[in-house]
Amino acid sequence: MRIKQINPAALYDGAPFGMSQAAVDSGSGLVFVSGQVDWDTHYQVRHGGIAEQAESALQNLLTVLDAAGSSTGNVLQLRVYVRGELGDYMEILAPIMSKYFGASRPALTGIGVASLASPQTLIEIEALARVCDEVQAQQCIV
């Protein structure tokens, strides 16, 4: 088994935190994506609202999946962490999640939490995906 770390240059550097944006297990073909947030390359939150932060976190997720050789169509599981009560945000988040995942409909768990990476961070999204192979390459186009 070989593990490949994924750290796209467009995203913040996780090294100071002892983490990579993703790890790919070449033996299983699984991609483990770290929680994605609305941070710029200087660890600063870019947006104030949950909808904007969700869009940004999902764009970061797309960046990581692409760098790992995967796509939203290959996401098996998502965990969405929100600051506060998840139910307070369902009407906002459901259409955004549908926009990015549509018919692929991965397994999803939503979790309300007291805190995240910074006081301004409202949402964090992590994923488990599989690497695209040549047979299904058309499904991997983001």
Side-chain angles (χ1 to χ4, degrees):
M1 166 175 59
R2 186 171 158 266
I3 297 172
K4 178 180 177 184
Q5 296 175 336
I6 306 296
N7 292 294
L11 301 181
Y12 70 88
D13 181 11
F17 303 104
M19 52 81 70
S20 292
Q21 296 295 342
V24 178
D25 173 16
S26 61
S28 66
L30 293 177
V31 181
F32 298 84
V33 182
S34 292
Q36 297 300 306
V37 296
D38 176 39
W39 279 5
D40 62 20
T41 56
H42 302 289
Y43 316 103
Q44 299 300 307
V45 171
R46 292 178 281 200
H47 303 94
I50 189 127
E52 296 83 5
Q53 284 194 23
E55 290 273 355
S56 178
L58 287 163
Q59 285 296 319
N60 290 347
L61 178 66
L62 291 177
T63 299
V64 175
L65 289 171
D66 184 55
S70 191
S71 70
T72 56
N74 283 316
V75 172
L76 304 168
Q77 182 180 36
L78 289 168
R79 286 190 189 94
V80 178
Y81 302 90
V82 297
R83 183 182 296 274
E85 290 295 323
L86 178 64
D88 293 343
Y89 301 107
M90 289 302 293
E91 287 184 26
I92 296 168
L93 296 176
I96 295 169
M97 300 306 288
S98 181
K99 171 182 160 184
Y100 283 85
F101 294 96
S104 67
R105 296 177 51 204
L108 186 141
T109 302
I111 306 161
V113 297
S115 67
L116 289 166
S118 71
Q120 297 80 23
T121 301
L122 302 176
I123 187 167
E124 183 169 340
I125 303 171
E126 70 178 26
L128 172 63
R130 60 185 179 156
V131 176
C132 299
D133 60 31
E134 292 179 23
V135 174
Q136 49 138 223
Q138 290 293 35
Q139 296 174 350
C140 293
I141 298 171
V142 177

